[in-house]
Amino acid sequence: MRWKCVCQYDGTEFCGWQSQPNRNTIQDYIEKRLSEIFGSRIKIYGSGRTDAGVHARGQVFHFDADWEHESWQLLRALRCGIPPTIRIISAEHVSKEFNARFSVKQKCYKYYLLEDFADAFGYRYNWCLGNRRLDVKSMQSVAVKFCGTHDFSAFGANREDGEQHDPVKTMHVMQFSRIGNMVTFVTIGSGYLYKMVRMMVGGFVMVGLNKLTADELYGMLISGKRTQNIEVAPAHGLFLEFVEY
């Protein structure tokens, strides 16, 4: 039986989604719990990786295991024995054709920018800019140019494991909005390179602070060449919102 699960997590204290030798990742904790439930090693496959410190409201994973009870009973069992900052939202039986990674149609990420110093409870979920103010109109003027199908090599970092990914992605939504001193960036696309959202946000913020022009940032996209001149936005402001299949 194949199972599709949706989970959320506060990534602050974890080393990211993907399993690592130190075993302080979301994947490790979930696999450990599943192995306890089924009495054998269970491997899960996520829709994609999130970096250390990145949060998720709608990460999706699948695994294969036979379960003789109701799906709600599996969900209840999964919710026990894992850190409280990881929450399994749903668990459903799906066909063998479903693959959490390769069946993805699009993903949505949100990034939160606070033009202030956050209080003690908000610091870990926003990029706090202190007294700096953003020119959101200029940021949006270049963000819309990132929509469509492009080679995003200029905004992707190399993974330490050397794994290669197709740099051509299609962005459907690239939208900034403001409520008071909170600026939110939403992106929906077919897929993302390693650190791509954080690098894009870093570039947009440089435009918003008049450290780059909109044309200069767009020129970087067109060039397809990585640059060290863009600040990578901190991980803690980024949320994986949902994955669509």
Side-chain angles (χ1 to χ4, degrees):
M1 299 174 67
R2 178 154 295 183
W3 294 90
K4 172 190 175 185
C5 298
V6 180
C7 68
Q8 61 181 204
Y9 46 85
D10 178 335
T12 305
E13 299 176 355
F14 299 105
C15 296
W17 167 266
Q18 177 119 347
S19 181
Q20 296 180 19
N22 61 22
R23 308 192 68 79
N24 185 37
T25 70
I26 293 95
Q27 180 179 355
D28 287 324
Y29 282 108
I30 295 174
E31 287 184 348
K32 179 177 182 294
R33 180 57 186 152
L34 282 169
S35 297
E36 293 170 349
I37 293 170
F38 289 96
S40 61
R41 187 174 187 274
I42 302 293
K43 183 173 177 59
I44 66 175
Y45 301 87
S47 69
R49 310 174 192 180
T50 53
D51 301 337
V54 175
H55 317 291
R57 293 191 177 98
Q59 173 69 286
V60 179
F61 64 89
H62 82 260
F63 65 92
D64 295 329
D66 291 329
W67 178 254
E68 298 178 355
H69 311 289
E70 299 292 332
S71 58
W72 66 265
Q73 292 174 298
L74 175 60
L75 178 61
R76 186 173 65 179
L78 264 172
R79 286 177 170 175
C80 301
I82 57 176
T85 45
I86 302 174
R87 175 75 168 178
I88 310 299
I89 302 300
S90 63
E92 61 177 313
H93 180 216
V94 293
S95 72
K96 283 283 189 177
E97 284 68 41
F98 174 81
N99 186 290
R101 178 181 177 185
F102 297 113
S103 300
V104 173
K105 292 182 178 179
Q106 59 184 20
K107 295 180 181 180
C108 174
Y109 283 92
K110 282 187 180 181
Y111 198 96
Y112 294 89
L113 298 151
L114 182 64
E115 299 172 322
D116 200 348
F117 297 94
D119 61 27
F121 305 102
Y123 184 80
R124 63 171 61 187
Y125 307 115
N126 306 277
W127 182 3
C128 302
L129 299 171
N131 295 320
R132 295 182 290 177
R133 296 294 177 264
L134 296 170
D135 181 350
V136 176
K137 184 176 180 180
S138 293
M139 294 162 70
Q140 183 59 37
S141 72
V142 66
V144 295
K145 294 182 178 181
F146 279 57
C147 285
T149 302
H150 303 282
D151 181 331
F152 283 91
S153 294
F155 295 89
N158 292 321
R159 289 193 179 275
E160 295 179 358
D161 59 12
E163 185 176 347
Q164 299 296 314
H165 291 268
D166 184 357
V168 177
K169 308 295 181 185
T170 301
M171 297 296 108
H172 306 294
V173 175
M174 300 285 280
Q175 181 68 48
F176 281 96
S177 60
R178 175 195 289 281
I179 299 179
N181 61 2
M182 175 66 72
V183 176
T184 305
F185 172 63
V186 177
T187 174
I188 300 176
S190 62
Y192 297 87
L193 300 174
Y194 180 45
K195 294 188 178 180
M196 177 175 156
V197 179
R198 293 168 58 196
M199 292 181 73
M200 290 194 301
V201 170
F204 294 141
V205 167
M206 291 183 72
V207 171
L209 296 175
N210 296 314
K211 294 182 178 181
L212 278 178
T213 67
D215 287 341
E216 286 173 335
L217 185 64
Y218 181 62
M220 292 177 187
L221 172 66
I222 298 304
S223 75
K225 297 180 180 179
R226 299 185 187 92
T227 174
Q228 301 299 318
N229 297 327
I230 294 179
E231 180 179 2
V232 180
H236 56 256
L238 182 60
F239 287 74
L240 172 59
E241 288 292 311
F242 63 79
V243 184
E244 186 177 299
Y245 294 92

